[in-house]
Amino acid sequence: MNERKMAEQILYYAGGAENIVFMTTCTIRLRLVLKDAEKMDVEGVKKVEGISDVIIRQGMHQLVIGLNAGKVLAEIKKLQETIS
């Protein structure tokens, strides 16, 4: 799956662009801090092609993506800009 499509699906399952407070990456994970964690459809996001796991720690959702996590983050940021 391409990074753009992953970004679109992640935004959808995260409860929309407005629900994301902060995003970053670390090597293979996309880390999200959400306004309302209840809006995150964890089971839905786990089904996105390219996401191997979702780990929730200390109020942060960590999506295990692989080495293209930075590219997915860049695509999410582009999508947020077009929505705003």
Side-chain angles (χ1 to χ4, degrees):
M1 176 178 295
N2 70 39
E3 287 86 7
R4 177 69 172 214
K5 187 161 175 105
M6 283 183 76
E8 291 170 349
Q9 291 182 346
I10 289 167
L11 281 176
Y12 174 79
Y13 288 117
E18 65 282 351
N19 196 38
I20 298 174
V21 176
F22 177 77
M23 296 181 293
T24 191
T25 59
C26 73
T27 314
I28 64 168
R29 295 180 186 186
L30 174 64
R31 297 175 182 231
L32 305 174
V33 176
L34 306 173
K35 286 181 190 174
D36 183 354
E38 296 295 318
K39 288 184 178 181
M40 170 66 99
D41 180 351
V42 174
E43 293 307 312
V45 83
K46 283 182 178 180
K47 294 177 184 175
V48 173
E49 184 182 335
I51 295 178
S52 59
D53 199 7
V54 176
I55 300 163
I56 303 169
R57 265 196 204 126
Q58 299 173 347
M60 184 178 295
H61 288 72
Q62 301 177 36
L63 285 56
V64 181
I65 295 174
L67 295 176
N68 64 336
K71 292 178 183 177
V72 175
L73 174 64
E75 289 298 326
I76 290 173
K77 288 180 177 180
K78 286 180 194 174
L79 287 168
Q80 284 183 315
E81 289 174 7
T82 61
I83 294 169
S84 300

